[in-house]
Amino acid sequence: MISSPPYPLRHEGPALVVGNAFCMADDLAAARAIFGDVPVIAVNGAAREVKAFALFSAHVSRFMEYGYEWIGHQRNLFGPGFTVHGARERPNMPWINYWWGAMPGGGGSAWGARKVAAFMGFNPVILCGCPLVPGCYAGFRPGMAMADPAVVEPYRREVEADVDWHDGAYSMSGATREILGLWPGMGV
């Protein structure tokens, strides 16, 4: 898939897609112990938790929306030097650097970020803080919708069914680890 405007770089090697779930810090520490300081794509509220070279969301209005302001969190906590990526192009959102179109297969923003990482050339892609199990957000923030099994379970089923994207994707925890597995050689 080509973004709009076209993404100008072709990356290689591993990348971490970092979500905002309760397990984010442990997952990230474990992944960095294996892969080192590789590029990070922060998903949604993970923008306030980890320095990233790219931010991604399917909820693009929240990048600038009061109370979320994910771009502001990333810039204020970690400085400039990141790009902002969204799904399903919308008008009047100049804060999005690259639009990647609809993410077929569903699975939520983290699964969309996994696909964007592949489009950018990264392989493997390791999900951290993306367990797709009900719970709180990182930093003990209330999980809101993601604490509701009725919200989380459809995303899990969509990731499980989207088998064309399983190859080259791994997860550090939760239901996504059960579906995708750990990086080979990590053990249980």
Side-chain angles (χ1 to χ4, degrees), residues 149-167:
V151 172
V152 176
E153 182 59 21
Y155 288 141
R156 187 204 59 76
R157 285 193 308 266
E158 290 168 353
V159 169
E160 188 172 41
D162 199 9
V163 295
D164 289 345
W165 287 94
H166 289 190
D167 190 39

PDB file of all heavy atoms in Angstrom, residues 149-167:
ATOM      1  N   PRO A 149     -14.792  -6.465  27.757  1.00  0.00           N
ATOM      2  CA  PRO A 149     -14.609  -7.621  26.871  1.00  0.00           C
ATOM      3  C   PRO A 149     -15.415  -7.526  25.579  1.00  0.00           C
ATOM      4  O   PRO A 149     -14.968  -8.019  24.535  1.00  0.00           O
ATOM      5  CB  PRO A 149     -15.094  -8.803  27.729  1.00  0.00           C
ATOM      6  CG  PRO A 149     -14.933  -8.346  29.139  1.00  0.00           C
ATOM      7  CD  PRO A 149     -15.198  -6.861  29.109  1.00  0.00           C
ATOM      8  N   ALA A 150     -16.572  -6.888  25.614  1.00  0.00           N
ATOM      9  CA  ALA A 150     -17.392  -6.757  24.408  1.00  0.00           C
ATOM     10  C   ALA A 150     -16.729  -5.868  23.351  1.00  0.00           C
ATOM     11  O   ALA A 150     -17.044  -5.977  22.164  1.00  0.00           O
ATOM     12  CB  ALA A 150     -18.772  -6.198  24.760  1.00  0.00           C
ATOM     13  N   VAL A 151     -15.808  -5.004  23.762  1.00  0.00           N
ATOM     14  CA  VAL A 151     -15.050  -4.172  22.828  1.00  0.00           C
ATOM     15  C   VAL A 151     -13.793  -4.908  22.369  1.00  0.00           C
ATOM     16  O   VAL A 151     -13.452  -4.929  21.183  1.00  0.00           O
ATOM     17  CB  VAL A 151     -14.676  -2.818  23.474  1.00  0.00           C
ATOM     18  CG1 VAL A 151     -13.728  -2.030  22.588  1.00  0.00           C
ATOM     19  CG2 VAL A 151     -15.936  -2.011  23.769  1.00  0.00           C
ATOM     20  N   VAL A 152     -13.098  -5.526  23.302  1.00  0.00           N
ATOM     21  CA  VAL A 152     -11.798  -6.142  23.018  1.00  0.00           C
ATOM     22  C   VAL A 152     -11.931  -7.422  22.199  1.00  0.00           C
ATOM     23  O   VAL A 152     -11.150  -7.655  21.273  1.00  0.00           O
ATOM     24  CB  VAL A 152     -11.038  -6.413  24.340  1.00  0.00           C
ATOM     25  CG1 VAL A 152      -9.737  -7.136  24.081  1.00  0.00           C
ATOM     26  CG2 VAL A 152     -10.791  -5.105  25.083  1.00  0.00           C
ATOM     27  N   GLU A 153     -12.893  -8.239  22.500  1.00  0.00           N
ATOM     28  CA  GLU A 153     -13.029  -9.546  21.848  1.00  0.00           C
ATOM     29  C   GLU A 153     -13.188  -9.452  20.331  1.00  0.00           C
ATOM     30  O   GLU A 153     -12.544 -10.224  19.597  1.00  0.00           O
ATOM     31  CB  GLU A 153     -14.177 -10.338  22.476  1.00  0.00           C
ATOM     32  CG  GLU A 153     -14.365 -11.719  21.906  1.00  0.00           C
ATOM     33  CD  GLU A 153     -13.163 -12.646  22.028  1.00  0.00           C
ATOM     34  OE1 GLU A 153     -12.289 -12.413  22.895  1.00  0.00           O
ATOM     35  OE2 GLU A 153     -13.083 -13.607  21.231  1.00  0.00           O
ATOM     36  N   PRO A 154     -13.994  -8.540  19.784  1.00  0.00           N
ATOM     37  CA  PRO A 154     -14.056  -8.447  18.319  1.00  0.00           C
ATOM     38  C   PRO A 154     -12.699  -8.097  17.686  1.00  0.00           C
ATOM     39  O   PRO A 154     -12.357  -8.632  16.627  1.00  0.00           O
ATOM     40  CB  PRO A 154     -15.088  -7.340  18.066  1.00  0.00           C
ATOM     41  CG  PRO A 154     -15.949  -7.363  19.282  1.00  0.00           C
ATOM     42  CD  PRO A 154     -15.020  -7.700  20.417  1.00  0.00           C
ATOM     43  N   TYR A 155     -11.915  -7.228  18.324  1.00  0.00           N
ATOM     44  CA  TYR A 155     -10.573  -6.930  17.801  1.00  0.00           C
ATOM     45  C   TYR A 155      -9.716  -8.187  17.793  1.00  0.00           C
ATOM     46  O   TYR A 155      -8.992  -8.467  16.839  1.00  0.00           O
ATOM     47  CB  TYR A 155      -9.881  -5.846  18.638  1.00  0.00           C
ATOM     48  CG  TYR A 155     -10.441  -4.458  18.474  1.00  0.00           C
ATOM     49  CD1 TYR A 155     -10.558  -3.625  19.577  1.00  0.00           C
ATOM     50  CD2 TYR A 155     -10.812  -3.958  17.242  1.00  0.00           C
ATOM     51  CE1 TYR A 155     -11.050  -2.334  19.456  1.00  0.00           C
ATOM     52  CE2 TYR A 155     -11.307  -2.668  17.105  1.00  0.00           C
ATOM     53  CZ  TYR A 155     -11.419  -1.860  18.209  1.00  0.00           C
ATOM     54  OH  TYR A 155     -11.903  -0.580  18.085  1.00  0.00           O
ATOM     55  N   ARG A 156      -9.781  -8.965  18.868  1.00  0.00           N
ATOM     56  CA  ARG A 156      -8.997 -10.195  18.945  1.00  0.00           C
ATOM     57  C   ARG A 156      -9.394 -11.147  17.810  1.00  0.00           C
ATOM     58  O   ARG A 156      -8.535 -11.703  17.126  1.00  0.00           O
ATOM     59  CB  ARG A 156      -9.187 -10.878  20.303  1.00  0.00           C
ATOM     60  CG  ARG A 156      -8.237 -12.080  20.467  1.00  0.00           C
ATOM     61  CD  ARG A 156      -8.741 -13.104  21.455  1.00  0.00           C
ATOM     62  NE  ARG A 156     -10.028 -13.676  21.134  1.00  0.00           N
ATOM     63  CZ  ARG A 156     -10.260 -14.607  20.183  1.00  0.00           C
ATOM     64  NH1 ARG A 156      -9.269 -15.058  19.430  1.00  0.00           N
ATOM     65  NH2 ARG A 156     -11.473 -15.069  19.973  1.00  0.00           N
ATOM     66  N   ARG A 157     -10.680 -11.305  17.597  1.00  0.00           N
ATOM     67  CA  ARG A 157     -11.148 -12.193  16.526  1.00  0.00           C
ATOM     68  C   ARG A 157     -10.692 -11.681  15.157  1.00  0.00           C
ATOM     69  O   ARG A 157     -10.338 -12.478  14.279  1.00  0.00           O
ATOM     70  CB  ARG A 157     -12.669 -12.330  16.570  1.00  0.00           C
ATOM     71  CG  ARG A 157     -13.168 -13.220  17.699  1.00  0.00           C
ATOM     72  CD  ARG A 157     -14.637 -13.607  17.533  1.00  0.00           C
ATOM     73  NE  ARG A 157     -15.522 -12.467  17.310  1.00  0.00           N
ATOM     74  CZ  ARG A 157     -16.185 -11.816  18.266  1.00  0.00           C
ATOM     75  NH1 ARG A 157     -16.062 -12.177  19.520  1.00  0.00           N
ATOM     76  NH2 ARG A 157     -16.975 -10.800  17.956  1.00  0.00           N
ATOM     77  N   GLU A 158     -10.702 -10.367  14.963  1.00  0.00           N
ATOM     78  CA  GLU A 158     -10.259  -9.805  13.682  1.00  0.00           C
ATOM     79  C   GLU A 158      -8.773 -10.067  13.444  1.00  0.00           C
ATOM     80  O   GLU A 158      -8.375 -10.432  12.328  1.00  0.00           O
ATOM     81  CB  GLU A 158     -10.554  -8.306  13.643  1.00  0.00           C
ATOM     82  CG  GLU A 158     -12.035  -8.000  13.546  1.00  0.00           C
ATOM     83  CD  GLU A 158     -12.378  -6.542  13.802  1.00  0.00           C
ATOM     84  OE1 GLU A 158     -11.506  -5.734  14.182  1.00  0.00           O
ATOM     85  OE2 GLU A 158     -13.566  -6.199  13.627  1.00  0.00           O
ATOM     86  N   VAL A 159      -7.951  -9.905  14.472  1.00  0.00           N
ATOM     87  CA  VAL A 159      -6.519 -10.200  14.315  1.00  0.00           C
ATOM     88  C   VAL A 159      -6.326 -11.681  14.020  1.00  0.00           C
ATOM     89  O   VAL A 159      -5.553 -12.063  13.131  1.00  0.00           O
ATOM     90  CB  VAL A 159      -5.722  -9.774  15.568  1.00  0.00           C
ATOM     91  CG1 VAL A 159      -4.290 -10.309  15.520  1.00  0.00           C
ATOM     92  CG2 VAL A 159      -5.712  -8.256  15.713  1.00  0.00           C
ATOM     93  N   GLU A 160      -7.017 -12.509  14.749  1.00  0.00           N
ATOM     94  CA  GLU A 160      -6.903 -13.952  14.545  1.00  0.00           C
ATOM     95  C   GLU A 160      -7.286 -14.351  13.121  1.00  0.00           C
ATOM     96  O   GLU A 160      -6.640 -15.193  12.497  1.00  0.00           O
ATOM     97  CB  GLU A 160      -7.778 -14.685  15.566  1.00  0.00           C
ATOM     98  CG  GLU A 160      -7.581 -16.185  15.574  1.00  0.00           C
ATOM     99  CD  GLU A 160      -8.315 -16.831  16.721  1.00  0.00           C
ATOM    100  OE1 GLU A 160      -9.477 -16.434  17.013  1.00  0.00           O
ATOM    101  OE2 GLU A 160      -7.734 -17.739  17.330  1.00  0.00           O
ATOM    102  N   ALA A 161      -8.326 -13.734  12.570  1.00  0.00           N
ATOM    103  CA  ALA A 161      -8.808 -14.063  11.225  1.00  0.00           C
ATOM    104  C   ALA A 161      -7.957 -13.452  10.114  1.00  0.00           C
ATOM    105  O   ALA A 161      -7.984 -13.941   8.980  1.00  0.00           O
ATOM    106  CB  ALA A 161     -10.256 -13.596  11.062  1.00  0.00           C
ATOM    107  N   ASP A 162      -7.182 -12.438  10.405  1.00  0.00           N
ATOM    108  CA  ASP A 162      -6.411 -11.703   9.390  1.00  0.00           C
ATOM    109  C   ASP A 162      -5.058 -12.395   9.145  1.00  0.00           C
ATOM    110  O   ASP A 162      -3.992 -11.801   9.283  1.00  0.00           O
ATOM    111  CB  ASP A 162      -6.219 -10.255   9.848  1.00  0.00           C
ATOM    112  CG  ASP A 162      -5.855  -9.317   8.718  1.00  0.00           C
ATOM    113  OD1 ASP A 162      -5.913  -9.717   7.536  1.00  0.00           O
ATOM    114  OD2 ASP A 162      -5.502  -8.161   9.029  1.00  0.00           O
ATOM    115  N   VAL A 163      -5.114 -13.664   8.764  1.00  0.00           N
ATOM    116  CA  VAL A 163      -3.919 -14.514   8.691  1.00  0.00           C
ATOM    117  C   VAL A 163      -2.892 -14.040   7.657  1.00  0.00           C
ATOM    118  O   VAL A 163      -1.707 -14.370   7.769  1.00  0.00           O
ATOM    119  CB  VAL A 163      -4.290 -15.996   8.441  1.00  0.00           C
ATOM    120  CG1 VAL A 163      -5.073 -16.561   9.614  1.00  0.00           C
ATOM    121  CG2 VAL A 163      -5.075 -16.149   7.143  1.00  0.00           C
ATOM    122  N   ASP A 164      -3.317 -13.287   6.669  1.00  0.00           N
ATOM    123  CA  ASP A 164      -2.359 -12.794   5.677  1.00  0.00           C
ATOM    124  C   ASP A 164      -1.303 -11.889   6.310  1.00  0.00           C
ATOM    125  O   ASP A 164      -0.236 -11.676   5.716  1.00  0.00           O
ATOM    126  CB  ASP A 164      -3.079 -12.018   4.566  1.00  0.00           C
ATOM    127  CG  ASP A 164      -3.889 -12.923   3.661  1.00  0.00           C
ATOM    128  OD1 ASP A 164      -3.691 -14.158   3.690  1.00  0.00           O
ATOM    129  OD2 ASP A 164      -4.747 -12.395   2.917  1.00  0.00           O
ATOM    130  N   TRP A 165      -1.581 -11.343   7.490  1.00  0.00           N
ATOM    131  CA  TRP A 165      -0.656 -10.428   8.152  1.00  0.00           C
ATOM    132  C   TRP A 165       0.061 -11.049   9.354  1.00  0.00           C
ATOM    133  O   TRP A 165       0.810 -10.367  10.047  1.00  0.00           O
ATOM    134  CB  TRP A 165      -1.400  -9.163   8.577  1.00  0.00           C
ATOM    135  CG  TRP A 165      -1.716  -8.324   7.391  1.00  0.00           C
ATOM    136  CD1 TRP A 165      -2.860  -8.308   6.661  1.00  0.00           C
ATOM    137  CD2 TRP A 165      -0.839  -7.400   6.768  1.00  0.00           C
ATOM    138  NE1 TRP A 165      -2.753  -7.419   5.626  1.00  0.00           N
ATOM    139  CE2 TRP A 165      -1.506  -6.850   5.672  1.00  0.00           C
ATOM    140  CE3 TRP A 165       0.466  -6.980   7.036  1.00  0.00           C
ATOM    141  CZ2 TRP A 165      -0.932  -5.901   4.839  1.00  0.00           C
ATOM    142  CZ3 TRP A 165       1.047  -6.030   6.208  1.00  0.00           C
ATOM    143  CH2 TRP A 165       0.343  -5.507   5.117  1.00  0.00           C
ATOM    144  N   HIS A 166      -0.136 -12.330   9.603  1.00  0.00           N
ATOM    145  CA  HIS A 166       0.512 -12.965  10.753  1.00  0.00           C
ATOM    146  C   HIS A 166       2.009 -13.167  10.539  1.00  0.00           C
ATOM    147  O   HIS A 166       2.793 -13.007  11.477  1.00  0.00           O
ATOM    148  CB  HIS A 166      -0.146 -14.310  11.070  1.00  0.00           C
ATOM    149  CG  HIS A 166      -1.515 -14.188  11.657  1.00  0.00           C
ATOM    150  ND1 HIS A 166      -2.181 -15.258  12.182  1.00  0.00           N
ATOM    151  CD2 HIS A 166      -2.353 -13.130  11.797  1.00  0.00           C
ATOM    152  CE1 HIS A 166      -3.361 -14.876  12.634  1.00  0.00           C
ATOM    153  NE2 HIS A 166      -3.499 -13.582  12.391  1.00  0.00           N
ATOM    154  N   ASP A 167       2.404 -13.541   9.334  1.00  0.00           N
ATOM    155  CA  ASP A 167       3.815 -13.805   9.064  1.00  0.00           C
ATOM    156  C   ASP A 167       4.646 -12.556   9.320  1.00  0.00           C
ATOM    157  O   ASP A 167       4.339 -11.479   8.817  1.00  0.00           O
ATOM    158  CB  ASP A 167       4.007 -14.267   7.615  1.00  0.00           C
ATOM    159  CG  ASP A 167       5.404 -14.785   7.356  1.00  0.00           C
ATOM    160  OD1 ASP A 167       5.966 -15.460   8.232  1.00  0.00           O
ATOM    161  OD2 ASP A 167       5.948 -14.482   6.262  1.00  0.00           O
TER     162      ASP A 167
END
